[in-house]
Amino acid sequence: MARTSPQMPVRLAQSAFALFSRRGIANVSLDQVASHAGVTKGCVYWHFQSKDELIKAACAHYYRDFHRRMNAEIAPVRDPLKRLERALRRSVRICLLDAENRVFTMDIWSLSLRDTEVRRGWQQFYDSVREFYIGLVRAAVLSGQMEVDNPERAVNLMLEAIEGIKLRAMFEPQICSPAEENEIVKSLLEILGCGKRAAKAARFGFNQQHTGEYRTP
Amino acid sequence: MARTSPQMPVRLAQSAFALFSRRGIANVSLDQVASHAGVTKGCVYWHFQSKDELIKAACAHYYRDFHRRMNAEIAPVRDPLKRLERALRRSVRICLLDAENRVFTMDIWSLSLRDTEVRRGWQQFYDSVREFYIGLVRAAVLSGQMEVDNPERAVNLMLEAIEGIKLRAMFEPQICSPAEENEIVKSLLEILGCGKRAAKAARFGFNQQHTGEYRTP
DNA sequence: ACATTTCCATACTGGCCGGTATGGTTCGCG
DNA sequence: CGCGAACCATACCGGCCAGTATGGAAATGT
């Protein structure tokens, strides 16, 4: 067997994800994915049965990569609250500030309408992210740095807010400009119960006449 | 001139909307739209320049039809609070309980990512809906049936909740089953300030382990 | 009555792209 | 050293579909 590149499926999934995020899944052909990976379509069809398979592989790659980056982000830090804050900041950068990522997410949602597997994949990913954050919050609570009566509920509210911002950014991209990073992270921390005022204070105003801030004071 | 059907553009837009909602815009050809309207593609290309034009016409038709149905719903009633409640119930039926409508909305959002005109169209629609509800709320406040310190903010929260539920329904369709209609309407009314407790009590738990209810008690 | 415009049907084209068939190269293995 | 399997490139097919070209019928103008 010609083991020229044992990581070829990963490379293809990476290229697929990159192009899908940039131009949308429907507007990317397998020839383009192959070309981006430095190979041809024959190679793609040797590693994957169909375009659907490649799409699912791109999703799986994104999900794995997200967790890898999150773990790498919190690994060098011991302080529970700092770990939570770093994770949040990284999540905001990946999922919100990156417009291409928002495109990919939107496409996946749209696909989920008719493809059960894609839908289940996203659900599973979402669940794992929730568990990840619940663990971080619990650790911060145990260390006495936070006071949260219901971590699961708090994390749910926070994740809801992220999705809400993502949705709103579709029509007001400026709310996800790099300059807004600190404000977004602060809001999410408040939702989790870090601020004096609880989640109710950190509502984000979807499609409100934009005043440059997304929190409703 | 053969005035066989002066309403042909409307018929085509209707058929387009119906098929788009059922199977997704990308999966519907112009031949199918024409066939659904009882004509052929030549007719379509006589009234519209391209498929994009037809898509925008379908959107415009949906937006117009929505307002028409809303006005027809509240027209026969004089009591301000009842008008608001009827409008809400109708909105929930149209935008949430109808799965096909959710498909159409999702497709429009996805298109909005790359098409400026489609995006602006939706923004405009959303703004008009907000103004519509602000008017209803103000009327109810003036009649003394509601106490809302900031109608605009309340309506924004309510509309956010609708979008949130729509998003969540993608992965948990059961929360938008017909049986949930009353609960959803009640929640939205609470968000608007009809219940004793204000919006904070009517949070919807996106992607929370579904307990059959979407309000977080 | 004839020409013209409106409105729509029929038939066709051409490109894109998912999928396949096949050939060639490299490696493992007996 | 040959044989076959793994791996990838090249070339090609065929269907779908947006868009076009053209023809024809009905209504209008004059």
Side-chain angles (χ1 to χ4, degrees):
Chain A
M1 43 180 118
R3 298 235 127 275
T4 58
S5 55
Q7 72 283 13
M8 182 57 76
V10 179
R11 276 178 54 194
L12 289 174
Q14 280 176 337
S15 294
F17 173 74
L19 293 181
F20 289 166
S21 302
R22 208 164 298 167
R23 306 206 303 270
I25 296 178
N27 302 321
V28 174
S29 69
L30 293 187
D31 286 297
Q32 293 167 340
V33 173
S35 174
H36 185 273
V39 292
T40 62
K41 196 163 54 177
C43 178
V44 175
Y45 271 94
W46 198 91
H47 289 284
F48 300 96
Q49 286 189 350
S50 64
K51 187 177 183 179
D52 282 337
E53 293 284 327
L54 183 61
I55 293 174
K56 284 159 192 163
C59 290
H61 167 263
Y62 168 60
Y63 300 155
R64 269 196 313 270
D65 199 56
F66 180 84
H67 281 114
R68 253 201 278 270
R69 287 198 272 180
M70 296 302 286
N71 287 325
E73 188 72 22
I74 64 174
V77 182
R78 294 254 65 89
D79 181 66
L81 190 57
K82 286 209 182 305
R83 283 163 69 92
L84 176 60
E85 199 243 335
R86 283 178 68 105
L88 267 180
R89 186 171 299 275
R90 193 68 191 268
S91 291
V92 167
R93 282 190 193 162
I94 295 175
C95 301
L96 292 181
L97 301 190
D98 182 0
E100 293 184 356
N101 191 293
R102 298 203 303 268
V103 172
F104 183 78
T105 304
M106 198 69 208
D107 261 14
I108 292 304
W109 287 349
S110 193
L111 266 187
S112 296
L113 286 171
R114 272 168 290 270
D115 191 312
T116 309
E117 283 190 52
V118 174
R119 185 166 58 239
R120 293 202 183 282
W122 174 268
Q123 272 180 313
Q124 206 171 327
F125 169 64
Y126 201 91
D127 284 345
S128 62
V129 171
R130 179 168 52 217
E131 292 307 319
F132 170 77
Y133 272 109
I134 289 178
L136 289 182
V137 169
R138 282 196 201 284
V141 169
L142 280 180
S143 73
Q145 293 173 298
M146 287 177 68
E147 268 192 45
V148 183
D149 40 322
N150 192 341
E152 296 189 11
R153 177 163 146 66
V155 168
N156 274 329
L157 288 177
M158 187 271 292
L159 292 181
E160 283 169 29
I162 290 182
E163 302 303 326
I165 294 175
K166 192 186 296 178
L167 204 60
R168 193 183 156 206
M170 190 165 313
F171 302 99
E172 297 177 62
Q174 66 273 13
I175 71 169
C176 279
S177 67
E180 305 288 339
E181 178 181 321
N182 284 327
E183 286 297 322
I184 297 178
V185 172
K186 201 165 69 178
S187 296
L188 296 179
L189 275 172
E190 283 183 11
I191 293 180
L192 286 177
C194 271
K196 296 290 162 290
R197 307 156 63 194
K200 59 182 174 183
R203 293 286 323 197
F204 52 96
F206 178 81
N207 217 350
Q208 216 166 4
Q209 27 271 58
H210 67 288
T211 58
E213 57 183 10
Y214 34 84
R215 294 177 306 124
T216 57
Chain B
M1 47 182 117
R3 297 239 126 274
T4 59
S5 55
Q7 71 284 11
M8 184 55 79
V10 178
R11 275 178 55 194
L12 289 174
Q14 281 176 338
S15 294
F17 173 75
L19 293 182
F20 289 166
S21 302
R22 209 164 299 166
R23 305 206 304 270
I25 296 178
N27 303 322
V28 174
S29 70
L30 293 187
D31 285 298
Q32 293 167 339
V33 172
S35 174
H36 185 272
V39 292
T40 62
K41 194 163 55 177
C43 178
V44 175
Y45 271 95
W46 198 90
H47 289 285
F48 300 96
Q49 286 190 350
S50 64
K51 187 176 183 179
D52 282 338
E53 293 283 327
L54 183 61
I55 293 174
K56 285 158 191 165
C59 290
H61 167 265
Y62 168 60
Y63 301 155
R64 270 195 313 269
D65 199 57
F66 180 84
H67 282 115
R68 253 200 278 269
R69 287 198 272 180
M70 296 302 285
N71 287 325
E73 188 72 22
I74 65 173
V77 182
R78 294 254 65 88
D79 181 66
L81 190 57
K82 285 211 184 304
R83 283 163 68 92
L84 176 61
E85 199 243 334
R86 281 176 71 104
L88 268 180
R89 186 172 299 275
R90 194 68 191 270
S91 291
V92 167
R93 280 190 195 163
I94 295 175
C95 300
L96 292 181
L97 301 190
D98 182 359
E100 293 183 357
N101 190 293
R102 298 203 304 267
V103 172
F104 184 77
T105 304
M106 198 68 209
D107 261 13
I108 293 304
W109 288 348
S110 193
L111 266 187
S112 296
L113 287 172
R114 271 167 291 270
D115 192 312
T116 309
E117 284 190 51
V118 174
R119 184 166 59 239
R120 292 201 183 281
W122 174 267
Q123 272 180 312
Q124 206 170 328
F125 169 64
Y126 200 91
D127 285 346
S128 63
V129 172
R130 179 168 53 215
E131 293 306 319
F132 171 78
Y133 271 108
I134 289 177
L136 289 183
V137 169
R138 282 195 201 283
V141 169
L142 282 179
S143 74
Q145 294 173 298
M146 286 178 69
E147 269 191 45
V148 183
D149 40 324
N150 190 341
E152 296 190 9
R153 177 162 145 69
V155 168
N156 275 329
L157 288 177
M158 187 271 291
L159 292 181
E160 284 168 28
I162 290 181
E163 302 304 325
I165 293 174
K166 194 187 295 178
L167 204 59
R168 192 182 157 204
M170 188 166 314
F171 302 99
E172 296 176 62
Q174 66 273 13
I175 71 170
C176 280
S177 66
E180 305 288 340
E181 178 180 321
N182 285 327
E183 287 297 323
I184 297 179
V185 172
K186 199 166 69 178
S187 296
L188 296 179
L189 276 172
E190 283 183 11
I191 292 180
L192 285 177
C194 271
K196 295 290 164 286
R197 307 157 62 193
K200 59 182 175 182
R203 292 286 325 198
F204 53 96
F206 178 82
N207 216 352
Q208 216 167 3
Q209 27 274 57
H210 68 288
T211 58
E213 59 184 9
Y214 34 82
R215 293 177 304 122
T216 57

